[in-house]
Amino acid sequence: MSAVVISGTGLYQPPYTITNAELVEAFNAYVDLYNAEHAAEIEAGTLTALGHSSVEFIEKASGIQQRYVMEKSGILDPTRMYPRLKPRGDDELSILAEIGVEAAKKAMAAAGKTGADIDAVICSCSNLQRAYPAIAIEIQNAIGAKGYGYDMNVACSAATFGLEQAVNAIKSGSAKCVLVINPEITSGHQEWRDRDCHFIFGDVATATIVERADTATSSEQWEVLGSKLATQFSNNIRNNFGYLNRSEDSDPTARDKTFRQEGRKVFKEVVPIAAAHIESELTELGLAATDVRRYWLHQANLSMNQLIVKRLTGGEVTPDVAPLILDEYANTSSAGSIIAFHLHKSDLASGDVGVICSFGAGYSVGCVVVRKR
Ligand code: CO8
């Protein structure tokens, strides 16, 4: 059996940025409006006044400086606080497929492939736009790929889980060249009115080409040495939006229908899970954490990533060992570790080993160990 390689990656970056200063200004205007509107209840003690957000808090707690979004005027409108996206007809490419196609084109160019070379498309992300038809099948059609396509969702770990499915499809012979896409329009399901999380997410799309080594022709190839996936149920990151909301007669705009989390608990519980998970996969492959030249980690929180790598290597955690992209992109859910891999892999030498690792809601954790050819 031929080895399996990652032969190309691609990144689509949305057209708008929102800085922390812009975000906080809009959020604080929303808070002032809310508190003024509910002044009587707040005065009577039946409602708690909302507090202002601050740029200093966001930067210190998360490391995030800005985020990219598909549309910003709606998010920054204190009377709205979510994006304004134009509805599209059934005969138009849907927005999630569109950004997936843009990332896919770049990944295919990097891998030296055309749509006709692709025989499986996996769209793996946190926030799928609709129930069916699968976004992956729409993308398969748009790029002229053969074979089959399907959607999957493992929240922030969707990319590494998707990569393992791609590797397995190639190993089993059900595909020869797989396109894995992670289109994330997190702004649609982010709760921009909640101070605890309004700064966390950004929009983006990434794409990865996984194929048999004996068909790969690109100048940069990464052999997949192994991968490991794990899940452990937790309610600490949850979103109850879903197809039964109507039948349950529940309010579609209620707080539980967008992203919510117990951030502190997530931080504390996921750091040891992720570190132990990476270590166990490296051990199975006969590698030590210090043999790893670079860690491309999920991008949720700067301190979280530093702690994970520190636990693993015991050494100093420099951006060279664990590159940071969340300062510019924020948390892009499944796409974060792939953005880090895409932007910070070319300087490594042949033979260097790296780990792509994601972690998040579920809980879910996935790692893919790669070696540059
Ligand atoms: N401005 C000022 N003060 C604030 C703000 C703010 N914006 N937010 C909170 N505070 C206050 C709090 O109220 C609290 O006050 P008090 O001490 O009086 O109670 C104080 O600041 C400290 O708050 P926290 O304890 O919440 O602050 P932390 O230091 O823990 O930082 C973080 C918060 C940054 C959220 C941090 O906990 C964190 O990064 N945790 C890890 C989160 C994580 O990795 N989550 C992964 C989720 S993503 C995922 O799995 C995919 C989901 C699908 C994507 C959906 C897209 C929409």
Side-chain angles (χ1 to χ4, degrees):
M1 163 72 206
S2 165
V4 178
V5 298
I6 292 175
S7 56
T9 53
L11 169 65
Y12 165 80
Q13 204 162 284
Y16 305 102
T17 57
I18 298 181
T19 64
N20 287 341
E22 286 175 289
L23 187 73
V24 166
E25 190 187 339
F27 178 84
N28 290 348
Y30 158 75
V31 165
D32 293 342
L33 277 176
Y34 177 93
N35 289 345
E37 249 171 54
H38 298 90
E41 298 109 291
I42 292 167
E43 177 77 4
T46 54
L47 193 74
T48 311
L50 296 181
H52 278 180
S53 181
S54 86
V55 171
E56 297 69 35
F57 174 87
I58 295 170
E59 289 174 5
K60 191 163 164 283
S62 70
I64 295 164
Q65 309 262 351
Q66 62 157 46
R67 67 284 300 141
Y68 294 96
V69 289
M70 297 301 291
E71 202 286 324
K72 71 188 271 188
S73 73
I75 296 168
L76 296 182
D77 176 348
T79 63
R80 180 177 171 98
M81 305 292 279
Y82 47 87
R84 279 188 190 97
L85 299 177
K86 281 203 191 85
R88 296 184 180 189
D90 289 356
D91 54 348
E92 294 178 274
L93 193 65
S94 46
I95 189 167
L96 204 66
E98 181 178 293
I99 67 171
V101 166
E102 289 306 311
K105 281 183 190 161
K106 292 178 181 169
M108 289 193 293
K113 301 286 169 196
T114 66
D117 298 313
I118 311 284
D119 56 1
V121 178
I122 301 173
C123 176
S124 194
C125 63
S126 280
N127 298 295
L128 285 159
Q129 184 177 349
R130 61 167 180 259
Y132 41 79
I135 300 291
I137 302 175
E138 194 179 2
I139 293 173
Q140 176 196 22
N141 180 56
I143 63 170
K146 297 176 296 205
Y148 60 90
Y150 61 87
D151 292 348
M152 54 182 276
N153 176 2
V154 200
C156 286
S157 291
T160 52
F161 276 60
L163 284 176
E164 183 170 294
Q165 307 324 305
V167 171
N168 288 346
I170 292 165
K171 283 185 179 163
S172 73
S174 82
K176 289 189 177 66
C177 183
V178 185
L179 168 66
V180 183
I181 313 149
N182 322 108
E184 292 288 11
I185 305 185
T186 63
S187 57
H189 262 205
Q190 157 74 316
E191 185 44 85
W192 299 96
R193 289 167 297 193
D194 183 338
R195 175 174 94 143
D196 289 347
C197 67
H198 78 115
F199 54 89
I200 292 181
F201 292 102
D203 300 337
V204 83
T206 51
T208 309
I209 303 285
V210 184
E211 62 177 312
R212 292 169 59 108
D214 57 9
T215 62
T217 56
S218 62
S219 55
E220 198 184 314
Q221 295 173 24
W222 296 83
E223 182 176 349
V224 178
L225 301 180
S227 61
K228 188 192 274 292
L229 314 178
T231 52
Q232 178 184 311
F233 186 69
S234 167
N235 272 321
N236 287 333
I237 312 169
R238 191 164 175 124
N239 182 336
N240 284 337
F241 173 81
Y243 306 112
L244 295 183
N245 291 161
R246 187 183 67 165
S247 307
E248 291 166 342
D249 295 313
S250 62
D251 173 4
T253 65
R255 179 65 189 91
D256 72 322
K257 306 300 190 305
T258 48
F259 169 86
R260 68 206 152 102
Q261 73 165 352
E262 295 283 344
R264 249 253 157 139
K265 284 190 191 157
V266 173
F267 190 111
K268 236 178 100 187
E269 291 169 12
V270 170
V271 167
I273 295 174
H277 186 82
I278 294 172
E279 189 164 39
S280 110
E281 176 59 8
L282 289 173
T283 305
E284 274 177 37
L285 293 170
L287 294 164
T290 45
D291 295 331
V292 174
R293 175 67 184 80
R294 189 158 288 163
Y295 289 92
W296 299 284
L297 299 182
H298 173 48
Q299 303 280 319
N301 184 291
L302 168 61
S303 327
M304 202 170 178
N305 286 9
Q306 287 177 333
L307 265 173
I308 290 169
V309 178
K310 181 111 189 138
R311 264 178 183 250
L312 284 164
T313 65
E316 199 197 339
V317 187
T318 62
D320 184 49
V321 175
L324 185 81
I325 59 95
L326 67 81
D327 51 347
E328 179 181 349
Y329 292 86
N331 182 343
T332 51
S333 194
S334 66
S337 57
I338 305 298
I339 303 175
F341 178 61
H342 173 78
L343 295 176
H344 298 283
K345 64 175 165 19
S346 296
D347 59 312
L348 265 54
S350 174
D352 279 345
V353 170
V355 173
I356 304 168
C357 179
S358 59
F359 35 85
Y363 296 134
S364 56
V365 54
C367 75
V368 181
V369 183
V370 292
R371 182 171 55 211
K372 193 164 184 175
R373 282 161 76 91

